[in-house]
Amino acid sequence: MKLKKFLAYLIPATVFSLGMASCSDFIDIDPENQQDVEAVDYTNTAQMYQPVVGTYNNVRAYAAHWANQLLMFSRDGDMWSGRTDDQAAAVDFGRYYNYNNGFWALNNVWVTFYSIVRSSNAALEALDNYKAHIDPSNSQELANYSQYCGEARTIRAWAYYQLTNNFGPVVILENNNQTDFVRSKQETVLNYILSECETAMGEMTATSKCRPNQMPHNGAVTYYTAAMVAAQTALVQGNWDKAEKYSDEIIESKKFSLYSDYYNLFKIPGKLCDESLFEIQCTDFGNPSGDYIGVDQWFNFAGCAMKNEATGKTFGGWGFMKYEDSFVNWAKERGETVRYTTSIIIPGVPTPSGDVCTKNPNEGHNYNGKGYLPYDQMTAGTTSWGRNNNVRILRYSEVLLINAEAKVRNGKSGDASFNEVRTRAHMPTLTGVTLDQILDERRMELCGEWCVRYIDLVRTGKAAAVLGPKGWTAEKTFWPLPATQLENIPDLEKDPK
């Protein structure tokens, strides 16, 4: 069986980007700027970072495809896809748990993350080819090789984390020449992710025990990014000791802190701030046209019709991704202020930036404000929704809440980590916090982000009570395998090993 059938519609995994990666302030290669690996001069070890940059490009090009929001972010009962007149199958998926494995967006999620896996595999292979030409006495280049391997491995582990939490048993693709496509059980995949993160932490050099915004290649994943993915994975496994261990290590490093302004955390001022452990970098270089490194329609897809009150300028996007009224009411009843205003755009209610959603407030239009970029932060000359903003993936606030939960489950106090998150949100501190309080805090703090709430409901056994009335059952924990993949790879239908 040819590997190309495994992931239809992907660019070949044997290419990686070349060009500007030596620039130290931005991982900024355009995904189209590629060269066949066979033409690469591996003796030129000064170019060793290029395959890793190619992996970052694939995260930007694929992970930030709007269809991933469409399905992944609408699984938890708090958010839905937002429109019934377009991509209606997504409504069936997220609101009623009626899955259609022929839906193109389902295949898109699968292809998205395997494209990142394959790119990471190709990067690791290329790095080994470079290593063969490193002078054994060149300690700096050897350290770079190790660091770069750790970065590629961390990104690959994150991709598997997304795959297994959406599809359950999936194929562990050790390399791009593999012909065994029998899936592995979820527990096996989770163990693999944890092992990969621990290996990556061992590969990361001392210089990467820092924040992404301190890296020589600004924004690159670090030792602590790998530790966070490990902590997330341990939480899903119910391995409270490791969840506590790795979240403790991140906290005790004192490298990270919560961005003080929650509202601007998700906007231009918060790009790659000290709270970030992983985000997709974008830039329009301050120009309304010309060179642009971005995420296609990721922001525009979820943008609602807006009007700036001061200037009368209008802007907006496709109008997907809305919160259910039940979530909006729950957040309001909790007494949320900062997070309520930031996370939820309600028609007719001006944002702190003076923009107003012009949709009819009586039709259930409660949009995800975490993708909103105010008019006064847009690059002059453009009103493209979200242009020039970054896509946030991993944040320190989640580390704190992982730590609080792990400590409580281990019979300790989780108050300190928990209240650090609450304080930033202008919420009163609590003592003797319980597991349910921590899960509610996660629900509010991380709403509209990478299907965190759904994973929490499943791993804590609460999904049946919360989502059951909507049609969810334990058999629907994971999505079915995409029809396109089953057609091309019969091995996927075999029992997981």
Side-chain angles (χ1 to χ4, degrees), residues 420-436:
E420 190 171 341
V421 176
R422 297 267 296 181
T423 299
R424 194 260 301 270
H426 298 179
M427 293 290 283
T429 58
L430 303 176
T431 57
V433 296
T434 66
L435 176 60
D436 283 342

PDB file of all heavy atoms in Angstrom, residues 420-436:
ATOM      1  N   GLU A 420      -4.762  31.912  41.569  1.00  0.00           N
ATOM      2  CA  GLU A 420      -3.986  32.781  40.687  1.00  0.00           C
ATOM      3  C   GLU A 420      -4.774  33.063  39.410  1.00  0.00           C
ATOM      4  O   GLU A 420      -4.797  34.194  38.904  1.00  0.00           O
ATOM      5  CB  GLU A 420      -2.640  32.136  40.347  1.00  0.00           C
ATOM      6  CG  GLU A 420      -1.683  33.069  39.630  1.00  0.00           C
ATOM      7  CD  GLU A 420      -0.282  32.499  39.498  1.00  0.00           C
ATOM      8  OE1 GLU A 420       0.069  31.569  40.241  1.00  0.00           O
ATOM      9  OE2 GLU A 420       0.469  32.989  38.631  1.00  0.00           O
ATOM     10  N   VAL A 421      -5.446  32.039  38.903  1.00  0.00           N
ATOM     11  CA  VAL A 421      -6.283  32.211  37.715  1.00  0.00           C
ATOM     12  C   VAL A 421      -7.502  33.065  38.044  1.00  0.00           C
ATOM     13  O   VAL A 421      -7.875  33.961  37.285  1.00  0.00           O
ATOM     14  CB  VAL A 421      -6.710  30.834  37.161  1.00  0.00           C
ATOM     15  CG1 VAL A 421      -7.655  30.992  35.972  1.00  0.00           C
ATOM     16  CG2 VAL A 421      -5.481  30.014  36.759  1.00  0.00           C
ATOM     17  N   ARG A 422      -8.127  32.803  39.176  1.00  0.00           N
ATOM     18  CA  ARG A 422      -9.316  33.561  39.582  1.00  0.00           C
ATOM     19  C   ARG A 422      -9.011  35.048  39.766  1.00  0.00           C
ATOM     20  O   ARG A 422      -9.803  35.912  39.381  1.00  0.00           O
ATOM     21  CB  ARG A 422      -9.853  33.002  40.902  1.00  0.00           C
ATOM     22  CG  ARG A 422     -10.334  31.572  40.866  1.00  0.00           C
ATOM     23  CD  ARG A 422     -11.792  31.461  40.599  1.00  0.00           C
ATOM     24  NE  ARG A 422     -12.618  32.049  41.662  1.00  0.00           N
ATOM     25  CZ  ARG A 422     -13.943  32.035  41.628  1.00  0.00           C
ATOM     26  NH1 ARG A 422     -14.581  31.471  40.602  1.00  0.00           N
ATOM     27  NH2 ARG A 422     -14.653  32.581  42.605  1.00  0.00           N
ATOM     28  N   THR A 423      -7.884  35.330  40.365  1.00  0.00           N
ATOM     29  CA  THR A 423      -7.536  36.719  40.659  1.00  0.00           C
ATOM     30  C   THR A 423      -7.388  37.528  39.379  1.00  0.00           C
ATOM     31  O   THR A 423      -7.855  38.675  39.287  1.00  0.00           O
ATOM     32  CB  THR A 423      -6.242  36.784  41.489  1.00  0.00           C
ATOM     33  OG1 THR A 423      -6.446  36.099  42.728  1.00  0.00           O
ATOM     34  CG2 THR A 423      -5.841  38.222  41.761  1.00  0.00           C
ATOM     35  N   ARG A 424      -6.733  36.941  38.373  1.00  0.00           N
ATOM     36  CA  ARG A 424      -6.578  37.646  37.102  1.00  0.00           C
ATOM     37  C   ARG A 424      -7.941  37.970  36.494  1.00  0.00           C
ATOM     38  O   ARG A 424      -8.124  38.990  35.829  1.00  0.00           O
ATOM     39  CB  ARG A 424      -5.730  36.805  36.153  1.00  0.00           C
ATOM     40  CG  ARG A 424      -5.215  37.573  34.915  1.00  0.00           C
ATOM     41  CD  ARG A 424      -6.013  37.325  33.666  1.00  0.00           C
ATOM     42  NE  ARG A 424      -6.042  35.949  33.276  1.00  0.00           N
ATOM     43  CZ  ARG A 424      -5.147  35.369  32.464  1.00  0.00           C
ATOM     44  NH1 ARG A 424      -4.171  36.050  31.942  1.00  0.00           N
ATOM     45  NH2 ARG A 424      -5.266  34.079  32.153  1.00  0.00           N
ATOM     46  N   ALA A 425      -8.917  37.084  36.732  1.00  0.00           N
ATOM     47  CA  ALA A 425     -10.255  37.263  36.173  1.00  0.00           C
ATOM     48  C   ALA A 425     -11.144  38.153  37.039  1.00  0.00           C
ATOM     49  O   ALA A 425     -12.334  38.298  36.757  1.00  0.00           O
ATOM     50  CB  ALA A 425     -10.921  35.904  35.996  1.00  0.00           C
ATOM     51  N   HIS A 426     -10.571  38.735  38.094  1.00  0.00           N
ATOM     52  CA  HIS A 426     -11.316  39.600  39.019  1.00  0.00           C
ATOM     53  C   HIS A 426     -12.454  38.839  39.696  1.00  0.00           C
ATOM     54  O   HIS A 426     -13.528  39.387  39.954  1.00  0.00           O
ATOM     55  CB  HIS A 426     -11.868  40.839  38.302  1.00  0.00           C
ATOM     56  CG  HIS A 426     -10.818  41.720  37.715  1.00  0.00           C
ATOM     57  ND1 HIS A 426     -11.124  42.870  37.006  1.00  0.00           N
ATOM     58  CD2 HIS A 426      -9.469  41.642  37.722  1.00  0.00           C
ATOM     59  CE1 HIS A 426     -10.000  43.447  36.592  1.00  0.00           C
ATOM     60  NE2 HIS A 426      -8.993  42.713  37.027  1.00  0.00           N
ATOM     61  N   MET A 427     -12.195  37.575  39.976  1.00  0.00           N
ATOM     62  CA  MET A 427     -13.141  36.740  40.700  1.00  0.00           C
ATOM     63  C   MET A 427     -12.620  36.530  42.125  1.00  0.00           C
ATOM     64  O   MET A 427     -11.403  36.474  42.355  1.00  0.00           O
ATOM     65  CB  MET A 427     -13.314  35.394  40.002  1.00  0.00           C
ATOM     66  CG  MET A 427     -13.985  35.489  38.638  1.00  0.00           C
ATOM     67  SD  MET A 427     -15.726  35.937  38.745  1.00  0.00           S
ATOM     68  CE  MET A 427     -16.436  34.359  39.251  1.00  0.00           C
ATOM     69  N   PRO A 428     -13.502  36.412  43.116  1.00  0.00           N
ATOM     70  CA  PRO A 428     -13.044  36.239  44.500  1.00  0.00           C
ATOM     71  C   PRO A 428     -12.293  34.930  44.682  1.00  0.00           C
ATOM     72  O   PRO A 428     -12.613  33.918  44.042  1.00  0.00           O
ATOM     73  CB  PRO A 428     -14.349  36.254  45.299  1.00  0.00           C
ATOM     74  CG  PRO A 428     -15.406  35.871  44.326  1.00  0.00           C
ATOM     75  CD  PRO A 428     -14.977  36.426  43.010  1.00  0.00           C
ATOM     76  N   THR A 429     -11.302  34.947  45.560  1.00  0.00           N
ATOM     77  CA  THR A 429     -10.549  33.730  45.841  1.00  0.00           C
ATOM     78  C   THR A 429     -11.384  32.788  46.713  1.00  0.00           C
ATOM     79  O   THR A 429     -12.291  33.218  47.427  1.00  0.00           O
ATOM     80  CB  THR A 429      -9.223  34.051  46.550  1.00  0.00           C
ATOM     81  OG1 THR A 429      -9.501  34.758  47.770  1.00  0.00           O
ATOM     82  CG2 THR A 429      -8.337  34.917  45.666  1.00  0.00           C
ATOM     83  N   LEU A 430     -11.059  31.508  46.629  1.00  0.00           N
ATOM     84  CA  LEU A 430     -11.759  30.480  47.392  1.00  0.00           C
ATOM     85  C   LEU A 430     -10.746  29.667  48.182  1.00  0.00           C
ATOM     86  O   LEU A 430      -9.563  29.610  47.850  1.00  0.00           O
ATOM     87  CB  LEU A 430     -12.541  29.553  46.448  1.00  0.00           C
ATOM     88  CG  LEU A 430     -13.567  30.208  45.514  1.00  0.00           C
ATOM     89  CD1 LEU A 430     -14.170  29.166  44.575  1.00  0.00           C
ATOM     90  CD2 LEU A 430     -14.663  30.901  46.318  1.00  0.00           C
ATOM     91  N   THR A 431     -11.204  29.024  49.242  1.00  0.00           N
ATOM     92  CA  THR A 431     -10.337  28.147  50.025  1.00  0.00           C
ATOM     93  C   THR A 431     -10.912  26.733  50.011  1.00  0.00           C
ATOM     94  O   THR A 431     -12.126  26.539  49.911  1.00  0.00           O
ATOM     95  CB  THR A 431     -10.219  28.627  51.482  1.00  0.00           C
ATOM     96  OG1 THR A 431     -11.531  28.714  52.067  1.00  0.00           O
ATOM     97  CG2 THR A 431      -9.551  29.988  51.546  1.00  0.00           C
ATOM     98  N   GLY A 432     -10.008  25.771  50.085  1.00  0.00           N
ATOM     99  CA  GLY A 432     -10.435  24.388  50.075  1.00  0.00           C
ATOM    100  C   GLY A 432     -11.142  24.017  48.786  1.00  0.00           C
ATOM    101  O   GLY A 432     -12.160  23.321  48.794  1.00  0.00           O
ATOM    102  N   VAL A 433     -10.584  24.451  47.662  1.00  0.00           N
ATOM    103  CA  VAL A 433     -11.266  24.257  46.382  1.00  0.00           C
ATOM    104  C   VAL A 433     -11.458  22.769  46.086  1.00  0.00           C
ATOM    105  O   VAL A 433     -10.612  21.927  46.403  1.00  0.00           O
ATOM    106  CB  VAL A 433     -10.522  24.925  45.213  1.00  0.00           C
ATOM    107  CG1 VAL A 433     -10.500  26.428  45.404  1.00  0.00           C
ATOM    108  CG2 VAL A 433      -9.121  24.373  45.045  1.00  0.00           C
ATOM    109  N   THR A 434     -12.594  22.473  45.487  1.00  0.00           N
ATOM    110  CA  THR A 434     -12.962  21.097  45.171  1.00  0.00           C
ATOM    111  C   THR A 434     -12.716  20.809  43.703  1.00  0.00           C
ATOM    112  O   THR A 434     -12.501  21.715  42.889  1.00  0.00           O
ATOM    113  CB  THR A 434     -14.440  20.856  45.474  1.00  0.00           C
ATOM    114  OG1 THR A 434     -15.234  21.666  44.578  1.00  0.00           O
ATOM    115  CG2 THR A 434     -14.771  21.218  46.923  1.00  0.00           C
ATOM    116  N   LEU A 435     -12.806  19.537  43.365  1.00  0.00           N
ATOM    117  CA  LEU A 435     -12.633  19.129  41.976  1.00  0.00           C
ATOM    118  C   LEU A 435     -13.673  19.792  41.084  1.00  0.00           C
ATOM    119  O   LEU A 435     -13.347  20.306  40.008  1.00  0.00           O
ATOM    120  CB  LEU A 435     -12.732  17.603  41.859  1.00  0.00           C
ATOM    121  CG  LEU A 435     -12.670  17.032  40.439  1.00  0.00           C
ATOM    122  CD1 LEU A 435     -11.366  17.395  39.763  1.00  0.00           C
ATOM    123  CD2 LEU A 435     -12.854  15.512  40.478  1.00  0.00           C
ATOM    124  N   ASP A 436     -14.917  19.816  41.519  1.00  0.00           N
ATOM    125  CA  ASP A 436     -15.962  20.429  40.698  1.00  0.00           C
ATOM    126  C   ASP A 436     -15.716  21.917  40.486  1.00  0.00           C
ATOM    127  O   ASP A 436     -15.984  22.450  39.396  1.00  0.00           O
ATOM    128  CB  ASP A 436     -17.333  20.212  41.335  1.00  0.00           C
ATOM    129  CG  ASP A 436     -17.862  18.801  41.112  1.00  0.00           C
ATOM    130  OD1 ASP A 436     -17.346  18.115  40.204  1.00  0.00           O
ATOM    131  OD2 ASP A 436     -18.776  18.383  41.846  1.00  0.00           O
TER     132      ASP A 436
END
